[in-house]
Amino acid sequence: MSAGLKVVRAGLFDTLQDLGRIGYTALGMPTAGAMDRIGLTLVNALAGNPPNTAGIEIGVMGPDLLVEADSVRVALVGPLSPSLFESEGAPPKPLETDRSHLLKRGQVLRVGMIDGASTAYLAVSGGFALLPFMGSLSTYSRAGVGGFEGRKLAAGDELPLTLEQAPAAYDRKLGGPFDYGSGPIRVVWGPQDDYFTEAGRQTFVTAEYKVSKEADRMGIRFEGPTIEHAKGADIISDGIGPGAIQVPGAGLPIVLLADRQTVGGYSKIATVASVDLPRLGRLLPGRTVRFTAVTVEEAEALRREQETRLARAIANLQVARPAGGIDLARLYEENLIDGIVYEREAIGR
Amino acid sequence: MSVRYLSCGDTAFTVEFGNEISPQINGQVMALHAAIGEAKAAGGLAGVVETVPTMRSLMVSYDPARATRAELQPQIDALIARGLSADSVGRKVRMPCCYDGEEFAPDLAEVAERTKKTPEQVISAHLGSAFKVYVLGFMPGLAYVAGLDPSLYLSRRSQPRVRVPRSTVAIAMDMTTIYPFESPGGWHLIGRTPLWMFDQRREQPVFLAPGDQLTFERIGRAEFDDIARKVEAGTLDWSELIAP
């Protein structure tokens, strides 16, 4: 019998994402991938997966998932308040976020709403048994490719699991919430900062900008003071990197994110430093930000420092013990034999 | 040759060869694109992830955890200094196209009127153009193909269409294109190819590549339907359309 997770109630915008579709932008194929690579990397670490394993990127509200496998280890990262229905009709039991949980056949995980961020992540140990498209499982819904049938998850979808049952292991939790940083969003001037007046550049790095309702995986349209062009908004199209900030004729900045097009014809005043892209990938409409300029060298150093902290957070994952001490039954169960055979009967359930 | 390096944050930079559209400049872009690909394949340029060629520039993306801009830029300079052959020869691709009827070519009459030609003369000028794929982008598989016969230059439609069918062949400015998906569009629609520019069932889902030399070949409705059936069924031998 094949193992799976069944979507019994859909969330708002949940898609499978890995770290992106690399190597096809020259053919016009966007990279897509996780809006918050830190969240995806951490959730995979909790599930015991390599960082580039596809997980579910939760958009605003997550799904209800029915376990159709002997067991599955599910990890969640982000400001969630998940709960578990242990059987049909049973009252929901709250679960902790930022940790993994061993779930059993017939149980339903309610991922629920995200509190104060736009994205959160769910991973399963071993990953999903889906075929990559152009080397990646990242969903790019505009072209209907990748992930699960190229689209966001819907009620009735059955996500096939690679593993029939969860590998024997302790559940793990984060040592603490990851520090995404605060203060202004760091940007590097260019590629077309010379298309703007000095006053326009000053407006951009001094004013406050609000995330408009037009914010999705492709990018965020900001509201605030207009930025003055010197040479106009149009250029001969060139490549668009992650975090590129294009300013069309109306003068308001648009930050381009995971599902951005590969090339574009608007002048780009600056580019978000990669250290702060995960922050933007979590921003909700209505939030305000400021931008501040750093050099390429500073941005590279900030990113390397963040990678070091991320590696440390993964090295410092803790064994998650239930409240009240050691769960003897679980210890017994997870130490059984060689860690591959799981016998429900052996522990008398 | 002097190039400008433009910053695209700490994960990419753009090598700009000029601020105009010309075959010479695009040839240099494509030659650097190829040279970086070869250097990477030979185990060099550690940290470079991929490159995006456009009309007049090449964006180089890199992993800031594995390389810095200060390390990479001299290596790119060295590749340029070695010399870029601007006449790199792309694949020769045949593009069957049906120009018949209001369904496939709704703008043919208007284009003819505005360019003071007969519809047949418009078709001949399109067939006679020496096209080259400059850039792919905007949506997967959408190619900006330059080389349109100058007598057909027209600005974009003032009212873009909400719905342009897949595989429509269109012209605007000095270019032609083929819509890979049904989408909105502001170009002038003069024909349709039975080929799909993007088909995720294929091992290489995107048909055209930057640098391809493109020749349109006129087909009638019966031949269109025949090829379209093979494309739909996934039985078309695409290699017959490409000469190395």
Side-chain angles (χ1 to χ4, degrees):
Chain A
M1 187 162 52
S2 63
L5 282 181
K6 183 173 182 180
V7 179
V8 289
R9 194 179 70 151
L12 266 184
F13 200 91
D14 305 320
T15 54
L16 265 76
Q17 300 293 341
D18 55 24
L19 291 174
R21 184 166 285 112
I22 306 300
Y24 300 94
T25 48
L27 300 177
M29 177 57 68
T31 53
M35 291 280 277
D36 166 14
R37 72 185 140 68
I38 293 172
L40 180 67
T41 303
L42 289 174
V43 84
N44 272 321
L46 289 171
N49 295 336
N52 197 22
T53 308
I56 300 176
E57 181 174 279
I58 313 294
V60 184
M61 187 183 91
D64 287 3
L65 298 168
L66 168 68
V67 178
E68 294 182 328
D70 288 344
S71 64
V72 60
R73 177 161 286 104
V74 172
L76 293 159
V77 163
L80 295 159
S81 308
S83 50
L84 184 69
F85 297 85
E86 294 192 309
S87 60
E88 209 178 319
K93 189 179 106 179
L95 292 181
E96 283 177 62
T97 184
D98 290 344
R99 60 161 284 178
S100 69
H101 296 277
L102 186 68
L103 308 184
K104 305 290 174 56
R105 185 181 296 280
Q107 295 182 331
V108 172
L109 169 68
R110 172 161 292 173
V111 176
M113 293 287 295
I114 312 175
D115 181 19
S118 61
T119 48
Y121 290 89
L122 180 154
V124 295
S125 292
F128 295 100
L130 292 165
L131 283 179
F133 171 73
M134 284 179 151
S136 166
L137 273 182
S138 285
T139 308
Y140 177 59
S141 45
R142 276 181 177 79
V145 297
F148 186 85
E149 296 182 358
R151 57 167 172 78
K152 66 178 183 177
L153 300 182
D157 289 348
E158 307 214 12
L159 304 173
L161 298 171
T162 305
L163 302 179
E164 295 277 331
Q165 58 191 34
Y170 293 113
D171 279 317
R172 294 187 180 276
K173 63 178 182 180
L174 298 184
F178 190 84
D179 180 9
Y180 282 78
S182 55
I185 298 286
R186 273 90 37 116
V187 302
V188 177
W189 290 119
Q192 281 95 30
D193 49 316
D194 59 340
Y195 272 62
F196 299 84
T197 63
E198 178 58 27
R201 286 191 292 269
Q202 282 308 309
T203 302
F204 174 63
V205 288
T206 51
E208 191 172 74
Y209 285 95
K210 189 169 97 174
V211 179
S212 76
K213 288 195 178 68
E214 289 175 68
D216 60 14
R217 286 185 42 83
M218 189 170 181
I220 298 173
R221 206 178 269 266
F222 283 94
E223 292 167 354
T226 57
I227 298 164
E228 189 183 26
H229 288 92
K231 294 196 227 166
D234 294 329
I235 59 166
I236 300 172
S237 293
D238 67 0
I240 296 184
I245 303 168
Q246 67 180 23
V247 185
L252 289 176
I254 300 171
V255 179
L256 295 164
L257 299 171
D259 283 1
R260 69 193 177 279
Q261 68 274 35
T262 55
V263 300
Y266 291 117
S267 48
K268 298 173 281 295
I269 190 169
T271 310
V272 176
S274 65
V275 66
D276 282 338
L277 283 172
R279 284 171 68 192
L280 287 181
R282 290 159 51 92
L283 270 183
L284 282 169
R287 296 294 169 93
T288 56
V289 298
R290 289 177 188 278
F291 298 99
T292 192
V294 297
T295 65
V296 171
E297 293 74 21
E298 286 165 340
E300 289 171 342
L302 286 164
R303 173 65 187 277
R304 284 196 294 274
E305 186 268 339
Q306 187 183 56
E307 292 293 329
T308 306
R309 285 197 296 117
L310 184 57
R312 200 180 305 135
I314 291 169
N316 291 341
L317 293 184
Q318 298 170 0
V319 173
R321 296 184 195 284
I326 297 169
D327 181 344
L328 287 175
R330 177 163 293 181
L331 277 182
Y332 178 49
E333 168 191 336
E334 293 186 339
N335 285 321
L336 269 179
I337 322 176
D338 59 0
I340 294 173
V341 179
Y342 165 67
E343 289 288 339
R344 184 178 292 241
E345 291 74 18
I347 53 172
R349 290 189 186 174
Chain B
M1 177 192 323
S2 71
V3 299
R4 286 210 308 157
Y5 284 88
L6 311 179
S7 295
C8 306
D10 59 323
T11 64
F13 53 88
T14 287
V15 188
E16 191 181 274
F17 287 82
N19 197 18
E20 59 185 295
I21 298 175
S22 80
Q24 289 74 26
I25 288 176
N26 185 251
Q28 290 162 356
V29 171
M30 294 312 302
L32 183 61
H33 175 62
I36 290 176
E38 284 162 20
K40 268 169 56 69
L45 288 175
V48 169
V49 176
E50 59 183 314
T51 50
V52 183
T54 65
M55 312 267 185
R56 46 75 184 245
S57 66
L58 185 74
M59 188 174 79
V60 180
S61 63
Y62 66 99
D63 178 355
R66 294 184 58 210
T68 64
R69 165 87 171 272
E71 289 162 5
L72 292 174
Q73 195 168 313
Q75 297 177 58
I76 305 294
D77 274 332
L79 284 179
I80 295 170
R82 247 175 38 194
L84 299 174
S85 162
D87 48 32
S88 66
V89 181
R91 306 181 305 174
K92 290 186 172 58
V93 177
R94 295 188 294 125
M95 183 73 64
C97 181
C98 180
Y99 297 90
D100 303 336
E102 178 73 15
E103 183 196 355
F104 285 178
D107 294 337
L108 186 59
E110 189 191 328
V111 168
E113 194 182 314
R114 287 179 59 185
T115 56
K116 301 186 170 58
K117 291 179 187 293
T118 65
E120 280 304 315
Q121 287 169 331
V122 172
I123 294 166
S124 296
H126 193 251
L127 290 168
S129 301
F131 287 120
K132 188 176 171 190
V133 177
Y134 269 14
V135 189
L136 279 94
F138 183 61
M139 63 180 101
L142 186 122
Y144 291 90
V145 187
L148 183 66
D149 187 300
S151 70
L152 293 180
Y153 287 8
L154 290 172
S155 57
R156 280 175 279 207
R157 289 168 58 87
S158 50
Q159 276 294 21
R161 281 190 175 78
V162 176
R163 189 187 149 273
V164 175
R166 174 171 61 186
S167 297
T168 295
V169 174
I171 58 170
M173 300 159 297
D174 56 349
M175 284 182 273
T176 195
T177 195
I178 305 113
Y179 287 83
F181 301 96
E182 179 183 307
S183 64
W187 291 32
H188 308 276
L189 317 183
I190 62 163
R192 198 179 298 175
T193 174
L195 305 180
W196 294 354
M197 296 302 101
F198 182 89
D199 182 354
Q200 65 164 310
R201 301 170 304 176
R202 299 179 60 211
E203 193 178 338
Q204 178 46 268
V206 177
F207 179 46
L208 295 174
D212 283 353
Q213 296 175 38
L214 209 56
T215 310
F216 285 84
E217 286 184 2
R218 187 172 192 177
I219 55 171
R221 186 60 196 244
E223 195 177 351
F224 179 97
D225 291 341
D226 179 51
I227 299 173
R229 265 192 301 274
K230 289 179 183 163
V231 171
E232 176 91 44
T235 57
L236 184 76
D237 181 3
W238 292 73
S239 67
E240 284 186 0
L241 299 163
I242 298 168

